[in-house]
């Protein structure tokens, strides 16, 4: 008799579908050449399974679509703003809210308010847009994540943790008054979607309090971090995701968020904080870059959908299925012997491109190359997260050559089925099999900022 087991299933059924089509091999080869071997420059009509990002790509629920019909599009004081403000207060606990069009809008405002020229901004690994805003405000990013996070094979369950000794070294070196805040990210994207633990956050909180350093959360995937705490941190198994999220935020002073991830919307973000003076300044700055402080670049209906998305995001069954699907894909790929970042995080499977294409130098862009090859193989779009994303060191002008040279297969929430995941795993295995014959790339165009979005490449001879 078959072994008895209990599976999870998605807590929804499908009401509307969007048809997708796979282009043939010749068309895919032409498309990637036309896109300069950069998956950001592919047209979505040429993509079969789109794992570029989980940002703004979620399927909204019927309740979110219904909420959009309740959009109050008044220029000032939309009722959807007040509903969102109440929802953020209830689930994240922050007193003040400033909506923005997406995460980087909030990062811009926060960086301008909190950073002075010559400041140092520690963080549990960099994120592309976050670091750029810190640099543009005159700050310098300092990586204080635990060493385990830079080793793709290390299976430490809380690779998002901050190394308090690295914080101490920074404070000893530059003085606490040059460190306005630490940027703390939940389920650290560039490390593979890795959570921090509450135990580590409590330690960080005590350290920062002592040195008068703020903790500003990048809450983009913090509900997913709360889910990981529930399933793997001792003492939290009986707490709800809602309770854990509130506890996380209670140790922080404010947040920026790209609502396009956890909050299940296609556009949106916000800055939130508890301090009245910081709020007053954010309220003033937002009108320059985003819009009036009660809409911040969003339509009323976007804020309504976001409030409903936040309510859905903390449901256990939602997170179980979301993280479960990512884990399922990870297991399939691992079974083919393909090296991935361990442990599997919440939003994506990261292939260790540096190891898979170990015959290429890092300046031949192994991750960019692998990402292009996966598209050619079966129309699957992934994202480079390696030397191209890391950019150049502003001091030396050289490529940063980060320790992690990865590609990310990012799973949009509530969009694909397990059958799609099987096709993805088989395609990864097929590329892996022919890895030794894959040639690297040469950059032919490099834009000034965030080069991974728009740079172009050609195959090396
Ligand atoms: N993340 C992602 O695909 C979208 C663009 S890639 C630069 O992972 C964190 C942790 C993010 C993030 C976006 C942003 C910026 C901030 N923090 O894209 O501006 O993962 O909404 O958010 C992307 P916005």
């Amino acid at each position: 008799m078959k072994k008895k087991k209990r599976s999870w299933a998605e807590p929804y059924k499908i009401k509307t579908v969007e048809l997708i089509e796979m282009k043939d091999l010749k068309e895919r080869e032409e498309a990637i050449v036309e896109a300069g071997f950069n998956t950001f420059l592919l047209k979505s009509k040429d993509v079969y399974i789109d794992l570029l990002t989980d940002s703004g790509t979620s399927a909204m629920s019927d309740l979110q679509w219904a909420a959009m019909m309740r959009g109050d599009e008044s220029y000032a004081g939309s009722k959807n703003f007040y509903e969102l403000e109440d929802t953020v207060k209830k689930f994240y606990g922050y007193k003040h809210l400033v909506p923005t069009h997406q995460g980087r809008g909030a990062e811009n405002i926060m960086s301008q308010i909190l950073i002075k020229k010559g400041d140092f901004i520690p963080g549990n690994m960099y994120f592309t847009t976050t670091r750029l805003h810190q640099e543009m405000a005159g700050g310098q990013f300092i990586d204080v994540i635990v060493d385990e996070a830079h080793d793709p094979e290390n299976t430490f369950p809380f690779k998002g943790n901050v190394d308090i000794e690295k914080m101490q070294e920074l404070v000893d070196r530059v003085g606490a008054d040059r460190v306005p805040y630490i940027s703390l990210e939940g389920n650290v994207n560039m490390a593979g979607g890795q959570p921090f633990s509450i135990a580590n956050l409590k330690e960080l909180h005590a350290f920062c309090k002592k040195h008068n350093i703020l903790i500003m959360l990048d809450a983009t995937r913090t509900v997913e971090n709360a889910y990981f705490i529930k399933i793997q941190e001792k003492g939290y198994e009986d707490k709800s995701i809602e309770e854990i999220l509130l506890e996380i935020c209670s140790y922080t002073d404010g947040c920026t968020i790209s609502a396009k991830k956890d909050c299940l919307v296609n556009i949106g973000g916000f800055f939130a904080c508890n301090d009245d003076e910081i709020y007053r300044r954010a309220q003033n700055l937002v009108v320059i870059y985003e819009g009036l402080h009660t809409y911040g670049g969003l339509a009323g209906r976007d804020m309504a959908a976001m409030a409903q998305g936040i309510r859905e995001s903390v449901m256990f069954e939602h997170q179980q299925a979301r993280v479960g699907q990512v884990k399922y894909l990870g297991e399939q790929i691992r079974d083919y012997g393909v090296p991935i970042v361990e442990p599997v995080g919440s939003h994506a499977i990261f292939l260790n491109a540096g190891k898979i294409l170990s015959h290429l130098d890092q300046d031949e862009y192994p991750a960019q190359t692998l990402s292009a090859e996966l598209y050619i193989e079966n129309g699957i779009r992934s994202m480079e997260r390696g030397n191209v994303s890391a950019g150049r060191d502003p001091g030396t002008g050289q490529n940063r050559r980060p320790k992690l040279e990865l590609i990310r297969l990012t799973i949009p929430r509530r969009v694909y089925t397990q059958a799609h995941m099987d096709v993805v795993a088989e395609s990864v295995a097929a590329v892996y099999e022919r890895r030794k014959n894959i040639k690297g790339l040469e950059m032919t165009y490099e834009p000034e900022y965030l080069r991974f979005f728009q740079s172009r490449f050609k195959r090396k001879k």
Side-chain angles (χ1 to χ4, degrees):
M1 203 172 76
K2 217 173 154 210
K3 211 173 108 207
K4 271 192 201 147
K5 68 168 185 174
R6 291 283 171 182
S7 301
W8 54 264
E10 289 80 3
Y12 53 82
K13 52 187 180 175
I14 298 165
K15 191 160 8 199
T16 305
V17 297
E18 178 182 337
L19 302 182
I20 52 175
E21 176 199 4
M22 196 193 316
K23 300 287 176 182
D24 66 28
L25 180 61
K26 186 168 166 289
E27 289 170 317
R28 297 198 298 273
E29 272 170 351
E30 282 167 6
I32 199 74
V33 170
E34 200 187 312
F37 290 86
N38 185 344
T39 53
F40 276 102
L41 302 179
L42 286 167
K43 294 178 179 142
S44 74
K45 72 171 178 52
D46 295 328
V47 174
Y48 176 47
I49 299 177
D50 203 343
L51 306 185
L52 181 71
T53 178
D54 62 335
S55 181
T57 51
S58 301
M60 291 211 298
S61 68
D62 52 356
L63 292 178
Q64 286 179 286
W65 283 109
M68 289 195 94
M69 292 305 293
R70 289 191 287 100
D72 167 7
E73 307 307 341
S74 312
Y75 185 89
S78 161
K79 64 183 181 216
N80 308 120
F81 167 76
Y82 298 105
E83 182 197 355
L84 182 61
E85 192 182 45
D86 286 346
T87 309
V88 169
K89 212 172 280 172
K90 176 170 176 208
F91 290 95
Y92 291 84
Y94 300 118
K95 190 168 155 197
H96 301 300
L97 170 79
V98 176
T100 56
H101 77 286
Q102 56 184 83
R104 67 199 75 178
E107 289 168 354
N108 173 33
I109 288 168
M110 182 176 81
S111 304
Q112 288 203 37
I113 294 172
L114 297 180
I115 300 173
K116 290 190 305 302
K117 198 169 172 354
D119 280 349
F120 295 85
I121 321 299
N124 54 346
M125 206 171 264
Y126 82 100
F127 186 71
T128 51
T129 57
T130 321
R131 181 175 64 193
L132 183 61
H133 281 298
Q134 292 164 358
E135 287 170 356
M136 289 174 86
Q140 188 186 328
F141 167 81
I142 304 289
D143 192 357
V144 292
I145 201 164
V146 290
D147 286 342
E148 288 90 335
H150 290 283
D151 174 2
E153 284 163 23
N154 191 308
T155 56
F156 181 53
F158 290 109
K159 282 167 117 177
N161 279 358
V162 170
D163 185 330
I164 307 293
E165 275 179 29
K166 289 185 187 170
M167 284 294 287
Q168 185 67 58
E169 277 163 28
L170 177 67
V171 165
D172 291 346
R173 181 162 67 84
V174 304
D177 55 337
R178 303 313 301 268
V179 184
Y181 68 94
I182 173 168
S183 173
L184 180 75
E185 186 186 332
N187 268 29
V188 182
N189 193 353
M190 301 300 278
Q194 308 293 336
F196 57 70
S197 67
I198 294 260
N200 181 254
L201 177 55
K202 279 186 183 166
E203 236 187 296
L204 178 69
H205 180 249
F207 177 90
C208 289
K209 219 168 169 195
K210 183 168 152 208
H211 294 282
N212 205 16
I213 296 170
L214 299 177
I215 302 180
M216 302 309 287
L217 185 66
D218 180 337
T220 298
R221 296 183 183 83
T222 299
V223 186
E224 291 176 0
N225 198 130
Y227 173 76
F228 272 86
I229 287 170
K230 179 173 172 63
I231 60 169
Q232 57 187 37
E233 186 162 355
K234 213 164 163 283
Y236 284 86
E237 43 291 88
D238 295 329
K239 294 212 183 234
S240 66
I241 294 175
E242 206 174 316
E243 286 169 321
I244 299 170
L245 180 64
L246 264 181
E247 182 173 347
I248 291 173
C249 296
S250 74
Y251 298 119
T252 71
D253 298 284
C255 80
T256 55
I257 188 169
S258 169
K260 299 167 75 173
K261 284 81 163 172
D262 269 355
C263 307
L264 297 163
V265 284
N266 304 125
I267 195 72
F270 58 81
F271 170 72
C273 65
N274 293 324
D275 184 89
D276 296 341
E277 176 56 17
I278 293 175
Y279 171 58
R280 191 195 60 72
R281 293 180 62 196
Q283 239 190 351
N284 194 210
L285 271 188
V286 78
V287 298
I288 306 174
Y289 297 106
E290 308 279 322
L292 191 71
H293 57 276
T294 55
Y295 76 86
L298 295 173
R301 56 181 172 270
D302 298 327
M303 294 188 280
M306 198 195 298
Q308 176 58 26
I310 291 172
R311 290 192 277 274
E312 292 173 20
S313 74
V314 296
M315 291 174 181
F316 177 79
E317 291 72 17
H318 163 66
Q319 291 298 345
Q320 185 186 39
R322 193 279 182 283
V323 175
Q325 188 178 42
V326 176
K327 192 164 165 234
Y328 175 84
L329 177 61
E331 281 160 2
Q332 306 292 310
I333 294 178
R334 195 189 290 125
D335 283 351
Y336 285 113
V338 180
I340 60 174
V341 172
E342 302 282 2
V344 166
S346 62
H347 70 306
I349 299 302
F350 289 71
L351 306 186
N352 188 346
K355 192 161 180 186
I356 296 169
L357 299 182
S358 56
H359 57 288
L360 301 184
D361 183 82
Q362 204 168 3
D363 283 346
E364 292 177 303
Y365 308 110
Q368 190 78 27
T369 305
L370 189 65
S371 175
E373 289 297 331
L374 187 59
Y375 171 73
I376 294 168
E377 182 63 39
N378 220 2
I380 292 158
R381 172 150 70 171
S382 58
M383 188 190 288
E384 192 269 2
R385 296 279 80 163
N387 206 8
V388 182
S389 294
R392 290 179 189 274
D393 183 308
T396 65
Q398 296 299 307
N399 281 335
R400 282 192 170 103
R401 297 173 67 99
K403 284 199 189 122
L404 299 180
E405 180 73 22
L406 311 172
I407 73 166
R408 190 182 74 173
L409 306 172
T410 337
I411 320 297
R413 296 162 187 79
R414 313 194 286 205
V415 171
Y416 291 115
T417 65
Q418 259 159 245
H420 289 108
M421 297 302 116
D422 291 340
V423 170
V424 172
E426 289 158 22
S427 311
V428 168
V431 176
Y432 186 61
E433 233 168 74
R434 61 178 176 81
R435 64 191 179 282
K436 299 248 161 62
N437 301 322
I438 294 175
K439 292 201 174 87
L441 297 172
E442 188 180 322
M443 203 183 287
T444 56
Y445 167 68
E446 180 173 359
E448 196 177 347
Y449 302 113
L450 301 174
R451 65 183 184 174
F452 57 93
F453 282 129
Q454 292 151 337
S455 52
R456 300 184 69 84
F457 303 81
K458 67 174 185 194
R459 258 204 197 102
K460 279 200 133 178
K461 291 264 175 326

